[in-house]
Amino acid sequence: MSVPHLDLHADPIDLTAALVDIPSVSEDESVIADAVETALRDQTTGFEIVRNGNAVLARTHRGLPTRVMLAGHLDTVPIADNVPSRRERDHADGDVIHGCGTVDMKSGDAVFLHLAATVDAAHDLTLVFYDCEEIAASKNGLGRIERELPEWLQADVAILGEPSGGFIEAGCQGTLRVRLTAGGTRAHSARSWLGDNAVHKLGAVLDRLASYEARQVDIDGCVYREGLQAVRISGGVAGNVVPDAAEVDVNFRFAPDRSVEQAVGHVRNVFAGLGLGVEVTDSSPGALPGLGAPAAAALIEAAGGQFRAKYGWTDVSRFSALGIPAVNYGPGDPNLAHKRDERVPTAQITDVTSVLREYLSKA
């Protein structure tokens, strides 16, 4: 099979469409990785380029005082009858490109690839295009690169091309899932006094959740809003049985000034005294915005001062853990990611390209 051609000197709007037209569902990114690698080798100069699985990495070694990393994932969620791409110039949102990955995040990848070939950068650049971001964290290509090629993940600032509507979204929230379990005694519901209803014990959990007052935390001018929510509840045996077991899953989205351990401690305190089992089933740390770092401050200036907190978790957390200030900055409304009618306004692609060109061109 021939490798699809990508023209890195083309308008990044057209490059977005070309990337979308290469299906790349998670764990099936070899074709798009081949195309990206070939394009970088043939159409850029001064880059060291390596392949790691279905990830493609490129970096310059010009001895410049700062290094900027541009990182984006190549995979998408499963296609929903929305490949190949389709351009609609008179949509209610203006001129848009429809298709799987237009938002998350092939438009961001297109911007980065175009700039690699066309920008006269005043910084050394590292580009990381990686695989398997949309599935289990254990398969994330960025994690594999961190284990196998850690020297490639060094920079003064990292820009992740996740959709942010053209705003700089700094840092990210941490996320924690906890399962609360209640036990009881099974009995016939006609003789309920002989039993102990486990489902009823979860009422106190719901009461505490309903009255919970979430924090709002200002960090570097970014306001993070925490949230503690029940996301699943189960229990019951049959229509005539007092249940002897019940459980509820609670999701805590926490500001990046808390560690995972502190978040777990907070959740335990919220439900203290209820006599319930508490099991942490999933956790990921947040990422501080780091906007006080000079390289990050210069990016904010180039974007006209438009920045906000990132709600939700992204791979900026990985960079933060490495001590690298990191932001999310890319075209597309994150609310449209993964949807059948996923689409990106072409004006946002142009604007993000312009802002990053200005930023990368200035020392």
Side-chain angles (χ1 to χ4, degrees):
M1 180 179 178
S2 62
V3 176
H5 176 70
L6 299 174
D7 183 358
L8 304 191
H9 291 85
D11 190 307
I13 295 170
D14 297 324
L15 185 53
T16 296
L19 289 169
V20 172
D21 291 346
I22 304 173
S24 57
V25 176
S26 302
E27 298 190 288
D28 191 18
E29 305 99 333
S30 61
V31 174
I32 197 169
D34 289 344
V36 167
E37 180 184 8
T38 299
L40 286 170
R41 292 189 184 278
D42 292 349
Q43 300 175 46
T44 64
T45 58
F47 281 93
E48 173 193 4
I49 300 170
V50 303
R51 179 77 172 259
N52 178 270
N54 284 330
V56 182
L57 302 90
R59 64 183 175 185
T60 61
H61 299 279
R62 298 169 58 197
L64 297 171
T66 54
R67 177 172 293 276
V68 177
M69 184 184 304
L70 306 175
H73 62 83
L74 296 173
D75 63 319
T76 71
V77 296
I79 293 168
D81 298 321
N82 53 356
V83 170
S85 62
R86 175 175 59 88
R87 188 164 181 177
E88 185 179 358
R89 298 179 186 273
D90 57 355
H91 189 272
D93 296 334
D95 183 12
V96 300
I97 301 175
H98 295 263
C100 184
T102 48
V103 170
D104 193 11
M105 54 172 280
K106 291 185 176 181
S107 55
D109 290 335
V111 171
F112 293 167
L113 286 166
H114 176 74
L115 290 171
T118 62
V119 73
D120 182 13
H123 314 266
D124 270 312
L125 300 179
T126 298
L127 292 97
V128 179
F129 298 99
Y130 60 102
D131 52 322
C132 291
E133 189 272 348
E134 297 288 6
I135 54 177
S138 61
K139 296 185 178 182
N140 188 305
L142 198 57
R144 186 184 67 249
I145 293 165
E146 183 179 350
R147 294 189 298 272
E148 298 178 5
L149 300 170
E151 70 278 7
W152 278 82
L153 301 184
Q154 298 175 6
D156 295 284
V157 66
I159 303 171
L160 195 65
E162 290 282 357
S164 64
F167 279 78
I168 291 172
E169 293 188 335
C172 71
Q173 292 173 299
T175 183
L176 175 71
R177 277 188 288 275
V178 172
R179 180 162 295 162
L180 305 175
T181 56
T185 302
R186 189 179 297 197
H188 196 297
S189 60
R191 302 173 184 82
S192 59
W193 60 89
L194 300 177
D196 180 20
N197 195 309
V199 170
H200 291 181
K201 295 178 182 179
L202 297 184
V205 172
L206 301 182
D207 287 341
R208 293 194 183 184
L209 287 170
S211 62
Y212 181 78
E213 295 186 4
R215 288 196 313 161
Q216 294 190 35
V217 185
D218 188 319
I219 307 173
D220 286 350
C222 297
V223 178
Y224 296 89
R225 298 182 60 173
E226 294 188 329
L228 188 64
Q229 295 288 317
V231 293
R232 188 189 69 89
I233 192 166
S234 66
V237 179
N240 59 351
V241 178
V242 174
D244 58 349
E247 61 187 30
V248 58
D249 288 351
V250 175
N251 182 212
F252 183 37
R253 295 294 176 133
F254 55 93
D257 63 335
R258 297 189 199 260
S259 67
V260 169
E261 292 75 19
Q262 290 170 331
V264 171
H266 176 71
V267 172
R268 288 186 181 275
N269 287 337
V270 170
F271 300 109
L274 298 183
L276 303 176
V278 180
E279 177 191 4
V280 177
T281 59
D282 184 50
S283 65
S284 294
L288 291 166
L291 298 183
L299 177 58
I300 299 295
E301 181 181 357
Q306 296 188 97
F307 68 93
R308 60 192 180 194
K310 176 65 176 178
Y311 295 131
W313 188 92
T314 73
D315 276 321
V316 299
S317 176
R318 296 180 185 272
F319 295 116
S320 180
L322 295 171
I324 303 171
V327 300
N328 304 278
Y329 184 54
D333 179 353
N335 293 322
L336 292 174
H338 304 179
K339 293 176 69 69
R340 187 177 293 272
D341 62 343
E342 186 174 353
R343 61 191 182 275
V344 61
T346 60
Q348 288 187 14
I349 300 173
T350 300
D351 290 346
V352 170
T353 303
S354 177
V355 167
L356 288 180
R357 184 180 300 280
E358 177 185 352
Y359 168 66
L360 295 174
S361 300
K362 289 184 177 180

